[in-house]
Amino acid sequence: MILEVAQFLLVLAIAPLVTGIIRKAKALMQSRRGPSVLQPYRDLWKLLCKGSVVSNDASWVFTITPYACIAAVTVAALLVPVVYAGTFGFLGDLIVLIYLLAMMRFFMALAALDTGSAFGGMGSSREMYISSVVEPTMLLSIFAMALVAGTTSLASIAERIASSGLDLISPALFLAAAAFFIATLAENARVPFDNPSTHLELTMIHEAMLLEYSGKQLALMEMASMTKLVIFLAIMSNVFFPWGIATTDDPMAIAVGLAVFLGKLILLALIIALIESSFSKMRLFRLPNLLTVAFILALLAVISFYILGVL
Amino acid sequence: MYGQELFPLLIGVSLFGALLAIGTGRWERVCRTAPLIAAAGASLIGLLIAIDVLLGSGEVTFTIPTAVAALGHFTFSVDRLSAYFILAISALALCVSIYSIGYTQEYSGRYRPETMGALFNLFLLSLYLVVTASNAVLFLIMWETMSLTSYLLVVYENRNRESESSGLLYLVMTHLGTALITVAFIVMWLYTPGEHSFDFEAFRELGAGGLLPEAARTLAFLLLLIGFGTKAGLVPLHVWLPQAHPAAPSNVSAMMSGVMVKTAVYMLIRCYFDFLGVTNSWWGLVVLLVASISALVGVLYALMEEDIKRALAYSTVENIGLIFIGLGAAMVFQSYYLADPVANAHLADLAALALIAVLFHTLAHSLFKGLLFMGAGSVMYATHTRDLEEMGGLAKRMPWTGILFFVGALSISAIPPFSGFVGEWLMFQSLLLTQSISDPMVNVLLPVAVAILALTGALAAACFVRIFGATFLARPRSKHAAEAQEVPRTMLAGMGIAAGASVLLGVLSVLIIPTIDSVTSSVLGVSIASKLVNGLVLMPPAGEFSSMSPLVIGVLLLFAVPFALIVTRYLGGRHPVERGDTWDCGTPLSSRTEYSAAGFSNPINRIFRSIYRPHTEVRTEYTSSTLIKRKISFSSTIEPVFERYLYAPVAALVIAIARRVGIIQKGSIQAYLAYIFVILLALLVVFR
């Protein structure tokens, strides 16, 4: 119980740090010095110290959205295994997790439409457009792992795959992992789908939806996005490649689990930074090509399980 | 216990309501409310009967004498399956009746209230009798009553040309379906043991005794699928649905979309599992395939629709697709179970799980789709338009309608812990648990169904973001919308009950699922409630496959919101929230600069271009100089694929044949008498 709560708090606590690491790594790769990795914490604190301005046109949807988003993300964070392969799994499985993230997106997209600015509408429209392919991709790729492990509970998937050694490495695993990685980039507004570090450009998606938020409300929305990124990276590292995760509550195993998790997290952050430095953002209507590739990969992963039988 | 006494009362109250409407036509206010109160009373009685039977006090039967003994016993009986559908009908009918009291004011002075009152009561009664009739002939009579009363309600706004043609299409399609159902029943009647009988009791022996030859079973299966599929709105038989639902008054569309299409689901469960017996696995696969296509096509068209009620109607096509995916899966599992009950014992559990998902989603969809149609009706009541592009900004002008519609949108978009989510979750579980079937077709179609379920879920969310956003958010796009006012309290009350029931159904699903399990176990003979529900947690019956607790998720979400509110309020000091204008980049924003519904869905239009086949036309008018434009007009349409490539050729063929055959229509009585004479002669020769 304590472990579950501790790893949940860990996710919330390191969320800004991960964003900071990606930014720092990106800066270094681009021969800049970049701000400290702790800068996102300072940004959040600064936003919390400021007042908010709400548009005259906005209705109650705009007001409740930041709270609904942070609520959805925190409940979702309860469901992911991070250091220890045990979560509040009775609460929900991977389907619940994906649909909680869908809830966050649903509110965010509505709030973006609410202020009547064309930017918000554009971001909202594009977000729903991308997510309509990305969400099934995520579901299917984790389903492939669920079928391999024989459970849809994320913690149990992590535990079973971690404890059954390397025999489980199969084509399905790589297909699904590749699909999920593409989905991670798309869902978290990273290059080549979106550019997280730009404001007011016609190409942006995620930031356009947050445009009208300020002060404390913006802090909540930013925090929700950062936490969402960590949730995705945790799924990436603990569902597809869970080796090293603690399967018992032995302090040694926990320490190893923590070290391995942080290692994987930094590795993934570096990969994302590398991709963001070496690729440019794609044109909006080129995106479906990449997204449908990911969708087909995920579908193949699931079908290959059915056709090749139990692995 | 008391159901037996209440059933005649239910019929009586409904008929009394219809008579009341006709009798009080002179006093408009009375005539508008009294029949609807009677309908609400009838639905309350229906609710009591359903609860009585579902809690286990035995079947309710009610027999009316028939003149013709050969047709069997004209009996209405309420078993668990019927009771479950009565529950769905009553729950929605209660909300809609209350809602209608306010809503029918819209028609005051323009259309006659006694027609609405009488037909509404008769329609409700026919719904009850359709799901309880236990004789094929009686069923067909009731089915036809339901179709005709609903047709008359579709054309209620008879001054509207559009509703006339929509009504005609509905009438043709529904009779096509009825004809096929009739043939299927006759096929089954032919093989009933002993004296041929139309009683469902005799039909039941067909399945139990395996009396039907394979060819007849297959024929009956296909006829029933097409016949009831027409009423349910399966693609490609769905074309009447997006025409008729919007043309009908909104309270009627709520009933049609919420419960009338589900009567087909009821009869298919009854016919397939009870009468025919599901032993061929390909039956389930056919249903699964048609259902997957329906789900995807329905949601794709819903996404492009500019008319709020047509969008909701297409979304019904999608949800019927989801329900049939569950039904198809249940049929596949059941067939494998029946083929080898010992080795495939776990598949019986899965069939039960899939059927529970079907029934759960049926009830959930009745409530939230009814709610959404009522919401659309309220919006139309306030703005007098169905066009999404002419709405906007209603969340501030009609806050209560906005909140209630929002609950419906969250439910249908499968946001946890609302009811739509629980239904989809159950469906995913039943599909994912099927690794042990080794038929290649099953192994390809099941993952595809899973993928389509996931895809439609995401597209449905996009669809309802679009509908809610265009209707309720940002600035009003027309004068009507700017002047909209909140609707009368009775309408809000009707929607409020539906919204509350929708939320409770999701959050308290652990309490409701054991009851649904008792219904499926009466059909399949397998009870899985003890394996599925564990305290506050739902666990599919396969070891530790997964678990979910909608109630705890709901409570956590509910606690997280005020927690976040309080934390952020005090962290970093307290600051007042100011109001200001939306940032406008220096050019004043107006309702013309905000995102429109068409713009919102355009990217999705581009992904699925091969399905939509969009056609865009930009026309520019120039002044005397080609450099200065006077006016640019833009129009964009998508091609109605099914209408154009499936129905139009058939219609053209029928018209061509009719022209040819028309020659025999001379208009002279002697010629017609001659035809009759020739045919009689031919019959005498053939059937000597």
Side-chain angles (χ1 to χ4, degrees):
Chain A
M1 194 64 183
I2 298 165
L3 280 173
E4 279 95 340
V5 175
Q7 70 176 357
F8 162 70
L9 293 176
L10 179 71
V11 169
L12 296 187
I14 62 168
L17 181 66
V18 174
T19 304
I21 291 174
I22 295 179
R23 285 188 193 157
K24 183 79 177 177
K26 222 166 119 179
L28 291 176
M29 284 179 204
Q30 292 164 354
S31 309
R32 293 186 283 122
R33 267 181 47 218
S36 144
V37 290
L38 298 179
Q39 188 61 35
Y41 292 101
R42 294 183 197 132
D43 291 346
L44 285 177
W45 180 249
K46 196 168 80 183
L47 287 173
L48 280 173
C49 295
K50 289 188 169 197
S52 308
V53 184
V54 173
S55 162
N56 284 324
D57 295 308
S59 66
W60 48 267
V61 174
F62 188 82
T63 315
I64 61 167
T65 293
Y67 307 103
C69 285
I70 201 82
V73 163
T74 40
V75 176
L78 285 171
L79 307 177
V80 265
V82 180
V83 173
Y84 167 63
T87 56
F88 297 92
F90 68 91
L91 271 183
D93 56 1
L94 64 95
I95 306 172
V96 177
L97 179 101
I98 302 277
Y99 277 84
L100 279 170
L101 297 176
M103 169 179 167
M104 172 180 165
R105 183 185 320 120
F106 192 86
F107 273 90
M108 223 189 243
L110 282 178
L113 283 169
D114 201 14
T115 54
S117 125
F119 286 114
M122 188 168 61
S124 159
S125 158
R126 292 177 173 181
E127 173 84 2
M128 295 320 278
Y129 151 76
I130 290 183
S131 73
S132 64
V133 186
V134 170
E135 194 188 292
T137 307
M138 291 190 294
L139 268 175
L140 286 177
S141 53
I142 316 185
F143 278 161
M145 303 314 294
L147 290 168
V148 170
T151 163
T152 61
S153 155
L154 286 166
S156 314
I157 296 177
E159 188 192 337
R160 290 200 195 159
I161 294 183
S163 57
S164 57
L166 303 179
D167 327 334
L168 274 178
I169 294 187
S170 70
L173 173 73
F174 290 101
L175 290 173
F180 190 80
F181 188 68
I182 297 176
T184 302
L185 295 181
E187 262 293 296
N188 291 288
R190 314 305 305 193
V191 173
F193 296 92
D194 193 359
N195 192 342
S197 53
T198 173
H199 275 274
L200 252 200
E201 197 191 322
L202 281 176
T203 53
M204 66 190 186
I205 302 171
H206 182 78
E207 292 294 330
M209 293 198 292
L210 306 185
L211 211 55
E212 286 298 322
Y213 279 108
S214 51
K216 289 171 188 290
Q217 296 180 324
L218 181 60
L220 281 175
M221 297 294 268
E222 295 283 4
M223 183 63 195
S225 304
M226 290 169 182
T227 313
K228 186 174 157 192
L229 177 65
V230 178
I231 290 176
F232 272 85
L233 296 183
I235 294 176
M236 190 75 208
S237 49
N238 285 339
V239 169
F240 294 95
F241 305 100
W243 293 283
I245 195 168
T247 48
T248 57
D249 55 2
D250 173 45
M252 195 56 210
I254 301 288
V256 172
L258 184 63
V260 170
F261 174 69
L262 291 178
K264 286 187 219 171
L265 207 60
I266 291 170
L267 182 68
L268 285 169
L270 290 178
I271 294 174
I272 290 177
L274 185 65
I275 289 175
E276 299 208 338
S277 308
S278 45
F279 286 89
S280 59
K281 196 189 155 307
M282 284 171 96
R283 273 180 56 217
L284 186 71
F285 289 111
R286 291 282 303 283
L287 293 182
N289 299 341
L290 189 55
L291 292 174
T292 39
V293 164
F295 180 69
I296 299 295
L297 284 178
L299 184 59
L300 280 178
V302 172
I303 291 188
S304 76
F305 172 80
Y306 275 96
I307 295 203
L308 299 178
V310 181
L311 294 158
Chain B
M1 206 159 59
Y2 47 80
Q4 193 68 48
E5 286 75 40
L6 285 179
F7 196 79
L9 187 65
L10 170 71
I11 299 177
V13 169
S14 291
L15 290 176
F16 174 71
L19 288 176
L20 199 65
I22 297 164
T24 58
R26 233 181 294 162
W27 304 281
E28 211 210 295
R29 281 186 72 88
V30 181
C31 181
R32 232 177 34 217
T33 43
L36 292 168
I37 292 171
S43 37
L44 269 179
I45 299 171
L47 214 53
L48 289 176
I49 297 175
I51 291 170
D52 186 36
V53 175
L54 285 174
L55 291 183
S57 37
E59 281 191 25
V60 169
T61 54
F62 179 72
T63 309
I64 50 174
T66 38
V68 189
L71 297 180
H73 309 282
F74 275 17
T75 304
F76 297 103
S77 68
V78 189
D79 60 0
R80 281 177 187 272
L81 187 60
S82 300
Y84 186 75
F85 280 84
I86 289 182
L87 179 73
I89 294 169
S90 308
L92 183 60
L94 182 64
C95 307
V96 173
S97 309
I98 296 172
Y99 171 87
S100 303
I101 295 173
Y103 178 74
T104 45
Q105 285 174 24
E106 168 85 351
Y107 297 107
S108 173
R110 293 193 295 146
Y111 297 102
R112 295 159 70 89
E114 59 262 46
T115 324
M116 172 61 88
L119 285 173
F120 191 81
N121 273 293
L122 290 178
F123 178 50
L124 179 57
L125 179 63
S126 70
L127 284 170
Y128 280 125
L129 298 184
V130 156
V131 296
T132 50
S134 59
N135 171 292
V137 177
L138 183 64
F139 170 80
L140 284 170
I141 295 170
M142 290 308 146
W143 184 256
E144 199 55 0
T145 315
M146 178 181 84
S147 299
L148 287 178
T149 45
S150 56
Y151 161 74
L152 291 172
L153 285 166
V154 168
V155 296
Y156 180 68
E157 292 178 45
N158 54 10
R159 266 167 241 171
N160 207 336
R161 296 287 303 175
E162 178 209 12
S163 71
E164 210 174 282
S165 66
S166 312
L168 186 66
L169 178 66
Y170 171 48
L171 203 61
V172 171
M173 290 300 285
T174 194
H175 279 115
L176 190 80
T178 311
L180 298 182
I181 297 166
T182 312
V183 176
F185 281 156
I186 291 174
V187 169
M188 282 147 79
W189 172 80
L190 283 175
Y191 292 94
T192 44
E195 289 274 305
H196 290 319
S197 168
F198 277 113
D199 285 346
F200 282 177
E201 208 50 53
F203 283 10
R204 212 159 274 143
E205 288 169 32
L206 288 175
L211 297 171
L212 276 174
E214 200 49 44
R217 286 182 70 225
T218 304
L219 183 67
F221 161 72
L222 289 174
L223 288 172
L224 290 169
L225 183 61
I226 301 171
F228 286 115
T230 315
K231 186 61 97 185
L234 282 184
V235 170
L237 304 162
H238 68 288
V239 285
W240 65 271
L241 216 145
Q243 301 263 342
H245 284 22
S250 296
N251 52 344
V252 177
S253 1
M255 289 299 284
M256 285 175 74
S257 213
V259 288
M260 188 187 78
V261 296
K262 311 289 169 43
T263 55
V265 176
Y266 159 79
M267 269 313 274
L268 282 181
I269 294 176
R270 175 133 288 174
C271 291
Y272 288 168
F273 289 96
D274 255 12
F275 301 164
L276 299 177
V278 188
T279 49
N280 306 46
S281 63
W282 67 268
W283 288 12
L285 293 177
V286 168
V287 174
L288 208 55
L289 186 69
V290 175
S292 302
I293 296 171
S294 293
L296 196 57
V297 166
V299 74
L300 283 178
Y301 280 102
L303 257 166
M304 289 299 134
E305 203 44 72
E306 312 261 291
D307 175 330
I308 183 168
K309 284 179 76 179
R310 277 177 69 94
L312 292 177
Y314 272 122
S315 146
T316 296
V317 174
E318 176 222 332
N319 279 279
I320 283 292
L322 298 184
I323 289 172
F324 274 69
I325 286 180
L327 185 66
M331 288 168 72
V332 171
F333 303 147
Q334 181 73 0
S335 69
Y336 276 95
Y337 167 67
L338 290 179
D340 190 353
V342 182
N344 292 332
H346 65 290
L347 287 181
D349 289 356
L350 281 189
L353 180 62
L355 207 56
I356 288 175
V358 166
L359 293 178
F360 188 89
H361 200 72
T362 299
L363 182 59
H365 180 252
S366 300
L367 288 168
F368 59 64
K369 187 51 70 64
L371 168 62
L372 289 169
F373 263 113
M374 287 190 270
S378 298
V379 168
M380 283 165 61
Y381 183 93
T383 63
H384 304 285
T385 176
R386 294 204 313 242
D387 191 348
L388 286 177
E389 307 290 10
E390 295 195 357
M391 296 175 186
L394 297 180
K396 292 176 104 175
R397 285 158 189 83
M398 308 165 66
W400 289 109
T401 308
I403 290 170
L404 296 173
F405 196 92
F406 192 63
V407 171
L410 284 173
S411 305
I412 200 168
S413 307
I415 303 296
F418 291 88
S419 55
F421 172 73
V422 178
E424 269 190 36
W425 188 83
L426 289 169
M427 229 161 262
F428 270 126
Q429 296 297 342
S430 66
L431 290 172
L432 281 175
L433 278 165
T434 52
Q435 306 97 323
S436 59
I437 299 177
S438 60
D439 177 359
M441 278 313 287
V442 177
N443 286 338
V444 173
L445 263 176
L446 280 179
V448 168
V450 170
I452 286 191
L453 206 55
L455 193 59
T456 47
L459 287 169
C463 177
F464 280 89
V465 166
R466 175 178 181 263
I467 293 177
F468 187 83
T471 313
F472 289 97
L473 303 181
R475 294 189 187 81
R477 295 194 193 84
S478 69
K479 201 165 134 278
H480 291 310
E483 289 166 358
Q485 284 184 344
E486 190 58 278
V487 293
R489 281 205 199 111
T490 42
M491 292 170 76
L492 292 177
M495 287 192 283
I497 300 172
S502 233
V503 173
L504 288 183
L505 183 63
V507 176
L508 300 182
S509 43
V510 277
L511 303 179
I512 296 153
I513 282 174
T515 309
I516 301 180
D517 176 71
S518 77
V519 177
T520 54
S521 70
S522 79
V523 177
L524 299 173
V526 180
S527 169
I528 58 165
S530 54
K531 300 181 203 165
L532 182 58
V533 178
N534 180 3
L536 292 176
V537 180
L538 289 175
M539 299 177 89
E544 294 165 3
F545 193 74
S546 67
S547 64
M548 195 254 295
S549 177
L551 182 61
V552 184
I553 295 171
V555 169
L556 282 176
L557 285 173
L558 215 58
F559 269 102
V561 171
F563 185 72
L565 192 75
I566 292 165
V567 167
T568 48
R569 168 169 276 193
Y570 293 104
L571 264 184
R574 291 184 63 171
H575 295 280
V577 175
E578 289 171 43
R579 306 292 296 197
D581 284 331
T582 303
W583 185 59
D584 57 5
C585 306
T587 40
L589 292 178
S590 76
S591 59
R592 286 177 58 81
T593 53
E594 74 195 21
Y595 239 58
S596 66
F600 186 88
S601 50
N602 195 42
I604 292 175
N605 190 341
R606 287 187 67 156
I607 304 190
F608 295 99
R609 200 182 320 185
S610 52
I611 296 174
Y612 290 128
R613 299 156 175 269
H615 179 78
T616 309
E617 197 175 281
V618 181
R619 218 180 279 147
T620 316
E621 283 175 34
Y622 296 98
T623 51
S624 53
S625 156
T626 51
L627 297 175
I628 305 169
K629 291 160 185 165
R630 179 181 292 141
K631 187 177 163 194
I632 300 178
S633 57
F634 167 87
S635 72
S636 176
T637 49
I638 55 173
E639 191 173 279
V641 175
F642 293 96
E643 283 85 343
R644 183 163 300 169
Y645 295 104
L646 189 67
Y647 287 91
V650 174
L653 184 72
V654 169
I655 290 170
I657 293 174
R659 287 240 169 80
R660 291 279 162 80
V661 179
I663 299 170
I664 65 168
Q665 195 181 6
K666 295 282 190 216
S668 81
I669 195 94
Q670 288 93 330
Y672 295 148
L673 284 174
Y675 297 151
I676 292 172
F677 179 70
V678 170
I679 287 176
L680 269 178
L681 216 60
L683 285 176
L684 278 174
V685 173
V686 177
F687 295 100
R688 216 164 350 127

